[in-house]
Amino acid sequence: MGRKLDPTKKEKRGPGRKARKQKGAETELARFLPAVSDENSKRLSSRARKRAAKRRLGSAEVPKTNKSPEAKPLPGKLPKGIFAGAVQTAGKKGPQSLFNAAQGKKRPAPSSDEEEEEEDSEEDDVVNQGDLWGSEDDADMVDDYGADSNSEDEEEGEELLPIERAARKQKVREAAAGVQWSEEETEDEEEEVTPESGPSKEEEADGGLQINVDEEPFVLPPAGEMEQDILAPDLQRVHKRIQDIVGILRDFGAQREEGRSRSEYLNRLKKDLATYYSYGDFLLGKLMDLFPLSELVEFLEANEVPRPVTLRTNTLKTRRRDLAQALINRGVNLDPLGKWSKTGLVVYDSSVPIGATPEYLAGHYMLQGASSMLPVMALAPQEHERILDMCCAPGGKTSYMAQLMKNTGVILANDANAERLKSVVGNLHRLGVTNTVISHYDGRQFPKVVGGFDRVLLDAPCSGTGVISKDPAVKTNKDEKDILRCAHLQKELLLSAIDSVNATSKTGGYLVYCTCSIMVEENEWVVDYALKKRNVRLVPTGLDFGQEGFTRFRERRFHPSLRSARRFYPHTHNMDGFFIAKFKKFSNSIPQSETGNSETATPKNVDLPQVIPKSENSSQPAKKAKGAAKTKQQLQKQQRPKKASFQKPNGTSKGADSELSTVPSVRKTQASSRCQDSSQPAGKAEGIRESKVTGKLKQRSPKLQSSKKVAFLKQNAPPKGTDTETLSVLSPSKTQATLKPKDHHHPLGRAKGVEKQQLPEQPFKKAAFQKQNDTPKGPQPPTVSPISSSRPPPAKRKKSQSRGNGQLLLS
Amino acid sequence: MRPLTEEETRVMFEKIAKYIGENLQLLVDRPDGTYCFRLHNDRVYYVSEKIMKLAANISGNKLVSLGTCFGKFTKTHKFRLHVTALDYLAPYAKYKVWIKPGAEQSFLYGNHVLKSGLGRITENTSQYQGVVVYSMADIPLGFGVAAKSTQDCRKVDPMAIVVFHQADVGEYVRHEETLT
């Protein structure tokens, strides 16, 4: 019984000194809600104030307060001028209600300093007025505190402590003088704001939703004032301003300040964010483009905090269950990582250094970020495959692949940085990986060194904007040229990686490109570039969570299949920022890029169905290209027979296919061969070619999309020989090239067996390639014209060249 | 990268046999494929032939490691076994030593094993016999040389050294650079 009474906590009541002791900042300050500085606020004498209060009381619609006697003491003490406007505005409650009483009411933290108007339309607070009124007489003796006004809701109906009244008086005085509260001044660097804020505040007060945050509409300081912060940034102020601006921009129409444009607000916000979170301007601008404002702040906040420590069980040596048990015995607090991972564990805290336990040294687990496990899961290496890891340091992904493959097959782990390779060696040995060869090449030297891999993983070096929490220096030391340099390197690496994949691999043909960056220039742009330049297409990664990649971003437009790429952010997924894209290579040939013809291709796309007739029509734009292509073709044709038997180590071993295997110099040949194939038409061995072509095409049909087949079949109808067929294969997507060559080749009429074989494949691939790209560009296709006149001897070619329209579209 | 010469092979096999004895044969004749030893930059690598073929395409100065590194030949052509070979020594070890949990840390820092830290030891271990060191949970921690035979271990005082440290898994963290 007696325990409940705690004499130390007994509250003092009464008129004495002890009763007037402060009750704590919250309660005290709450009383100093910014006086409603309405337009009418002016300096009143004490009698005038009393009279005003009386008037208000009389006119108040809903005297919420329970006690009528409240009215009496109030008029005498209230700074009526202050609240006159407010009361009228609020219209509901008596003056008392406007005040926050300390009586056991918890006020919201002073989130917004500027609440000057009471907008407590909703709340009815029962006010226990006894004490307050009792001490009213002392109001004048109470100090005036700087007001930190909170939502007025709580004021309503609460009793006035003497200090409140004094504060109110002060507010009135200050408002009358046109000087805002010191608190509010922190928000606006200018005093001119005061008059403007008045009306706008009232507007807000009338808003249906009580927004405690915005007591006063945030006024954008003019440009000149922006510099003040640089000299002495007050982080509290800046933070508050950030929140204000975000709030305003969210509902710009209603909350904007007249005469200020959106871009001014945005500029201010950008500067504030840069100050508060210590970012460079460039990076912050990029982030503002990338994220909507609400997400932006979350993202920036997430970058201040490190991600949880995660580790991956090494299934070559132990099981997750056993490892978890062993670590728990050592005093580590951990949990499985999530549904999506069978080997991951997240460490909450640990009494021992997690990177030095005997289990770690024995190679039972590896410390690895959660997002770093995803690319390997996406790549899904199978046993007995040949894998290339182009940028492997420090070896986490390589070892994961090895454990998925159960130490079978071969992994070639490569990195360009010799220092970091040491950690690769150490990690791989520690984890017991035996199927790996470690090399020290620049990634761009593949596939010359060795190619023909079943799968390739490219974790490209990037700007690191997704792992800012690990390396805060990225915030300031990255700028435009860094990003572009990274993007350039990534493009080169990606092309090399694509060339190192063997498209005809039985179990593979896949490539995963990933970066730990969130910039579009390093991610979608690079992927899109590769789609245009190589015979690859994007496939689903197999990861069922994560944000989809962008198909468009500002002024750029990417291939729609980029939706299958995945983006991960620190603030949404609680893992490092990451981007993952999975490619499937469907042809080993390297499309010949047309430098000049890309624009001209558009008309050609249309003509596909009728290869021969159209080729003439469409050839015109391609004339130039054809000319160039022709020369190439000529050379190539001469070289072709030699190349017929060329086989890249890639492993394309099929007879005809092998010839098409990607060869660096094959580009031209391919282009030419393509042209030639289609152009072969005329009477030579058409029948043979047809069969060959059809055979080839049929071989490919499984690879090709069905539409192509249809096109192919359709085209078989026309009387043209194999050429049409070959061309038709291409036609579905971009026929430009194919069409043209056909025409061209007709006169040539010579068909070499080998070349024939090769050509149908190439146009075939091209078509597939083009189709996938789906860019509106015209004749992107490498060597569009299968009808390259490379086959026939130069003499003939010249003829064709002079054909005019029927020129080959040689790129 | 080149195969080992006779002399080198002999020296190396002698060293390895100290720990695993005649089980060495199992390293060479494996049921799941042929494995071989190759020398590269004075280091001996144990690798399957399939992997070796891929590594043959890589030029010598760019090749960093292949398969598992067993150890290196010193300048005076002696063979030094590295901790990276532990994965192959542990399963075939003939003489084993288990150390108590309290002594694990000390051993992982590179200290010798004292009698006080000794948990178990294989019977009839002779003096200066190569042994593999385990924790009580049967996790291989490294290898060394027995300083005392099993009989002597029982008699000696707690502060005496019973196993000379030669390599331990702590070196993955302490001596990362020397692994390659």
Side-chain angles (χ1 to χ4, degrees):
Chain A
M1 296 233 310
R3 294 288 172 228
K4 291 206 174 128
L5 174 62
D6 186 357
T8 58
K9 294 204 185 78
K10 188 172 168 195
E11 191 172 335
K12 304 275 188 293
R13 296 167 184 261
R17 182 168 39 92
K18 292 196 176 161
R20 287 205 298 276
K21 270 213 175 109
Q22 288 190 12
K23 289 188 176 54
E26 264 191 11
T27 55
E28 299 293 334
L29 290 177
R31 280 185 278 136
F32 293 107
L33 288 181
V36 185
S37 58
D38 46 325
E39 320 78 307
N40 311 332
S41 66
K42 54 176 182 161
R43 218 177 162 121
L44 295 172
S45 71
S46 66
R47 283 200 186 281
R49 287 196 295 270
K50 287 173 192 163
R51 285 196 294 273
K54 228 184 222 166
R55 277 197 299 273
R56 273 200 308 272
L57 266 184
S59 62
E61 303 151 5
V62 182
K64 293 285 181 174
T65 59
N66 300 339
K67 307 171 189 176
S68 49
E70 299 163 11
K72 292 179 211 154
L74 265 180
K77 300 296 175 172
L78 285 177
K80 302 190 177 75
I82 300 175
F83 295 101
V87 169
Q88 286 149 18
T89 313
K92 297 199 223 167
K93 311 185 179 178
Q96 298 159 356
S97 62
L98 299 176
F99 296 99
N100 264 329
Q103 301 279 325
K105 243 216 145 230
K106 192 158 161 65
R107 298 169 191 278
S111 56
S112 52
D113 312 334
E114 302 168 326
E115 177 118 21
E116 296 191 19
E117 252 185 335
E118 284 130 22
E119 309 165 354
D120 51 4
S121 37
E122 268 111 61
E123 295 184 28
D124 300 332
D125 297 339
V126 176
V127 177
N128 181 1
Q129 311 244 334
D131 296 354
L132 289 182
W133 299 129
S135 53
E136 241 179 282
D137 298 339
D138 305 324
D140 292 341
M141 299 190 303
V142 181
D143 296 339
D144 286 344
Y145 294 85
D148 184 10
S149 51
N150 282 344
S151 58
E152 270 87 12
D153 354 343
E154 299 194 355
E155 285 189 330
E156 186 184 357
E158 286 171 310
E159 49 193 357
L160 271 184
L161 291 178
I163 196 149
E164 290 178 348
R165 283 189 292 263
R168 241 180 276 132
K169 276 187 227 158
Q170 187 192 10
K171 277 187 189 172
V172 176
R173 264 180 260 126
E174 286 181 356
V179 176
Q180 291 209 341
W181 288 110
S182 57
E183 292 293 337
E184 289 128 22
E185 275 179 305
T186 63
E187 292 304 323
D188 316 306
E189 276 114 352
E190 291 197 296
E191 296 182 351
E192 307 156 9
V193 167
T194 319
E196 301 163 4
S197 54
S200 42
K201 275 190 233 166
E202 294 210 339
E203 291 164 12
E204 282 182 311
D206 290 338
L209 189 60
Q210 283 269 346
I211 313 169
N212 289 343
V213 178
D214 265 340
E215 318 78 351
E216 131 187 327
F218 174 68
V219 179
L220 206 55
E225 297 294 335
M226 300 229 186
E227 311 315 319
Q228 279 188 7
D229 268 350
I230 297 172
L231 304 175
D234 175 6
L235 288 180
Q236 288 276 18
R237 263 167 47 169
V238 172
H239 188 59
K240 176 85 175 56
R241 200 160 56 214
I242 290 171
Q243 290 174 335
D244 280 342
I245 297 186
V246 171
I248 290 175
L249 288 171
R250 199 180 303 141
D251 183 18
F252 197 58
Q255 296 188 22
R256 63 179 296 175
E257 189 186 328
E258 291 309 316
R260 297 301 194 98
S261 69
R262 192 184 179 91
S263 61
E264 289 186 35
Y265 277 100
L266 282 173
N267 280 339
R268 182 74 252 185
L269 179 65
K270 191 168 159 182
K271 288 200 170 69
D272 283 343
L273 286 172
T275 312
Y276 191 72
Y277 292 106
S278 325
Y279 277 76
D281 270 342
F282 168 75
L283 188 59
L284 198 57
K286 287 277 178 188
L287 293 175
M288 284 183 84
D289 294 337
L290 208 53
F291 294 111
L293 283 182
S294 49
E295 266 198 68
L296 178 65
V297 177
E298 282 176 25
F299 175 80
L300 296 174
E301 283 291 338
N303 280 338
E304 302 296 314
V305 178
R307 303 274 78 73
V309 174
T310 52
L311 53 90
R312 186 198 82 237
T313 319
N314 180 18
T315 52
L316 293 173
K317 292 200 175 182
T318 185
R319 285 184 307 209
R320 181 165 75 164
R321 219 174 317 141
D322 302 335
L323 173 67
Q325 194 56 47
L327 285 177
I328 288 171
N329 289 344
R330 295 216 178 261
V332 180
N333 193 0
L334 47 77
D335 253 350
L337 186 49
K339 281 200 305 299
W340 52 272
S341 166
K342 291 203 248 344
T343 52
L345 290 167
V346 58
V347 175
Y348 298 118
D349 53 54
S350 163
S351 52
V352 294
I354 196 74
T357 62
E359 282 78 24
Y360 175 82
L361 296 172
H364 287 196
Y365 63 91
M366 166 113 190
L367 291 173
Q368 185 173 40
S371 47
S372 298
M373 303 184 201
L374 299 171
V376 179
M377 288 164 54
L379 184 65
Q382 308 297 316
E383 298 187 23
H384 307 294
E385 279 189 337
R386 265 158 66 114
I387 316 268
L388 168 66
D389 188 350
M390 259 178 146
C391 306
C392 63
K397 300 188 184 69
T398 316
S399 50
Y400 195 7
M401 290 197 286
Q403 86 184 42
L404 289 179
M405 294 159 70
K406 300 198 180 56
N407 257 337
T408 59
V410 189
I411 300 180
L412 178 55
N414 177 71
D415 201 88
N417 185 340
E419 282 302 307
R420 301 189 75 205
L421 270 178
K422 294 191 183 154
S423 61
V424 177
V425 173
N427 279 326
L428 293 182
H429 278 105
R430 183 176 58 80
L431 295 163
V433 172
T434 56
N435 64 345
T436 310
V437 180
I438 305 174
S439 69
H440 173 38
Y441 280 105
D442 183 336
R444 293 169 281 191
Q445 292 177 13
F446 289 94
K448 222 170 0 144
V449 171
V450 57
F453 291 95
D454 293 315
R455 295 176 200 246
V456 174
L457 174 67
L458 173 56
D459 182 16
C462 63
S463 60
T465 47
V467 288
I468 294 178
S469 54
K470 279 191 198 156
D471 178 19
V474 170
K475 288 184 197 171
T476 48
N477 64 9
K478 296 294 174 204
D479 64 352
E480 183 75 30
K481 51 178 170 34
D482 286 328
I483 307 276
L484 291 178
R485 201 183 314 136
C486 285
H488 181 76
L489 175 62
Q490 287 156 358
K491 285 176 189 158
E492 292 184 322
L493 284 171
L494 185 51
L495 291 188
S496 298
I498 293 173
D499 294 337
S500 308
V501 180
N502 175 15
T504 54
S505 144
K506 287 186 214 59
T507 58
Y510 292 99
L511 168 111
V512 166
Y513 170 77
C514 61
T515 63
C516 56
S517 159
I518 50 167
M519 294 280 131
V520 173
E521 285 84 3
E522 292 176 295
N523 297 336
E524 282 89 353
W525 195 32
V526 171
V527 169
D528 196 61
Y529 174 84
L531 288 177
K532 293 187 192 124
K533 288 279 188 180
R534 290 289 187 273
N535 286 328
V536 288
R537 65 169 162 261
L538 278 175
V539 295
T541 53
L543 304 167
D544 55 0
F545 65 105
Q547 195 188 336
E548 292 180 349
F550 300 141
T551 50
R552 59 182 180 83
F553 181 73
R554 292 171 70 91
E555 73 275 1
R556 297 215 179 94
R557 296 290 174 269
F558 305 122
H559 195 271
S561 64
L562 264 158
R563 245 171 298 149
S564 54
R566 286 285 176 268
R567 281 174 159 265
F568 300 91
Y569 296 122
H571 61 290
T572 48
H573 305 103
N574 202 17
M575 52 177 72
D576 294 320
F578 228 71
F579 171 83
I580 301 177
K582 183 172 179 179
F583 292 89
K584 170 105 174 74
K585 187 174 181 183
F586 54 86
S587 157
N588 275 331
S589 56
I590 298 181
Q592 193 67 10
S593 58
E594 301 177 0
T595 49
N597 293 343
S598 20
E599 275 49 59
T600 54
T602 12
K604 297 165 195 174
N605 287 339
V606 187
D607 323 297
L608 292 176
Q610 292 293 330
V611 174
I612 294 170
K614 288 197 182 162
S615 57
E616 298 189 347
N617 300 337
S618 51
S619 58
Q620 302 216 352
K623 271 192 190 176
K624 273 190 193 170
K626 281 186 180 171
K630 271 189 196 169
T631 356
K632 276 192 224 165
Q633 288 175 351
Q634 292 183 9
L635 295 169
Q636 290 163 355
K637 283 211 174 200
Q638 289 156 5
Q639 300 165 7
R640 294 208 88 220
K642 293 175 200 162
K643 288 198 178 153
S645 56
F646 177 92
Q647 267 203 2
K648 257 206 140 179
N650 288 2
T652 49
S653 53
K654 294 185 190 171
D657 298 357
S658 60
E659 291 166 351
L660 292 173
S661 53
T662 50
V663 181
S665 56
V666 164
R667 282 189 177 203
K668 291 190 178 176
T669 46
Q670 289 174 353
S672 55
S673 57
R674 268 183 235 205
C675 301
Q676 291 178 358
D677 271 341
S678 48
S679 62
Q680 291 290 330
K684 299 243 163 147
E686 270 188 3
I688 303 171
R689 274 190 300 173
E690 271 186 4
S691 54
K692 278 189 189 165
V693 169
T694 42
K696 286 237 166 143
L697 292 166
K698 280 175 189 159
Q699 285 175 16
R700 296 201 198 273
S701 53
K703 293 183 195 173
L704 287 181
Q705 302 158 18
S706 52
S707 54
K708 285 188 194 148
K709 248 188 181 168
V710 173
F712 169 78
L713 293 171
K714 264 199 276 182
Q715 307 228 348
N716 275 336
K720 298 287 165 129
T722 52
D723 292 336
T724 30
E725 293 169 359
T726 59
L727 287 175
S728 63
V729 173
L730 293 171
S731 53
S733 44
K734 299 181 186 179
T735 45
Q736 350 147 11
T738 56
L739 292 175
K740 294 193 186 153
K742 267 204 178 171
D743 267 347
H744 186 77
H745 288 297
H746 280 296
L748 301 178
R750 197 78 77 82
K752 296 181 188 171
V754 167
E755 289 165 345
K756 260 195 277 178
Q757 290 174 355
Q758 297 179 355
L759 287 175
E761 286 186 7
Q762 288 168 355
F764 200 75
K765 286 174 192 163
K766 234 205 231 172
F769 172 69
Q770 294 169 3
K771 240 190 181 185
Q772 293 194 351
N773 275 355
D774 202 20
T775 54
K777 286 192 201 169
Q780 268 294 338
T783 50
V784 177
S785 52
I787 318 176
S788 63
S789 52
S790 48
R791 293 261 185 89
K796 287 201 180 165
R797 225 170 301 152
K798 281 173 195 162
K799 255 198 239 167
S800 56
Q801 277 176 352
S802 57
R803 273 180 66 105
N805 288 351
Q807 301 221 354
L808 296 177
L809 180 58
L810 301 175
S811 49
Chain B
M1 182 171 66
R2 63 171 175 83
L4 296 175
T5 65
E6 282 298 322
E7 187 57 33
E8 288 165 347
T9 320
R10 190 181 53 79
V11 170
M12 191 186 70
F13 276 11
E14 268 178 23
K15 196 70 190 265
I16 299 180
K18 284 204 183 119
Y19 296 88
I20 61 179
E22 65 273 5
N23 289 338
L24 181 56
Q25 205 53 29
L26 295 170
L27 276 185
V28 182
D29 309 324
R30 281 169 64 140
D32 56 341
T34 17
Y35 280 67
C36 50
F37 292 93
R38 285 291 175 268
L39 188 73
H40 178 66
N41 287 352
D42 284 338
R43 286 173 193 261
V44 176
Y45 294 97
Y46 178 68
V47 69
S48 87
E49 288 208 355
K50 186 156 48 88
I51 298 167
M52 192 185 56
K53 284 205 191 85
L54 177 69
N57 294 329
I58 302 176
S59 67
N61 59 344
K62 300 288 191 185
L63 179 64
V64 172
S65 167
L66 62 160
T68 311
C69 171
F70 258 48
K72 66 186 266 194
F73 279 100
T74 63
K75 297 275 192 268
T76 53
H77 306 294
K78 297 198 177 37
F79 183 70
R80 197 188 140 79
L81 211 55
H82 280 175
V83 68
T84 47
L86 185 62
D87 281 343
Y88 291 98
L89 297 185
Y92 305 121
K94 301 197 71 165
Y95 297 98
K96 307 180 184 181
V97 167
W98 287 260
I99 55 175
K100 297 187 182 144
E104 274 175 19
Q105 275 299 103
S106 168
F107 182 68
L108 292 180
Y109 272 96
N111 301 320
H112 304 297
V113 180
L114 305 180
K115 169 80 188 308
S116 53
L118 186 67
R120 281 159 59 188
I121 185 165
T122 332
E123 238 355 279
N124 63 27
T125 312
S126 58
Q127 201 177 23
Y128 308 129
Q129 170 69 43
V131 294
V132 176
V133 176
Y134 291 82
S135 77
M136 289 316 274
D138 274 330
I139 298 175
L141 295 179
F143 48 87
V145 173
K148 305 261 187 279
S149 65
T150 314
Q151 295 296 337
D152 295 342
C153 281
R154 295 199 185 102
K155 292 180 247 171
V156 84
D157 67 297
M159 282 293 117
I161 296 175
V162 293
V163 176
F164 291 122
H165 167 282
Q166 283 198 330
D168 67 277
V169 284
E171 285 171 12
Y172 283 120
V173 171
R174 295 193 332 259
H175 297 148
E176 207 175 28
E177 298 80 32
T178 58
L179 290 179
T180 285

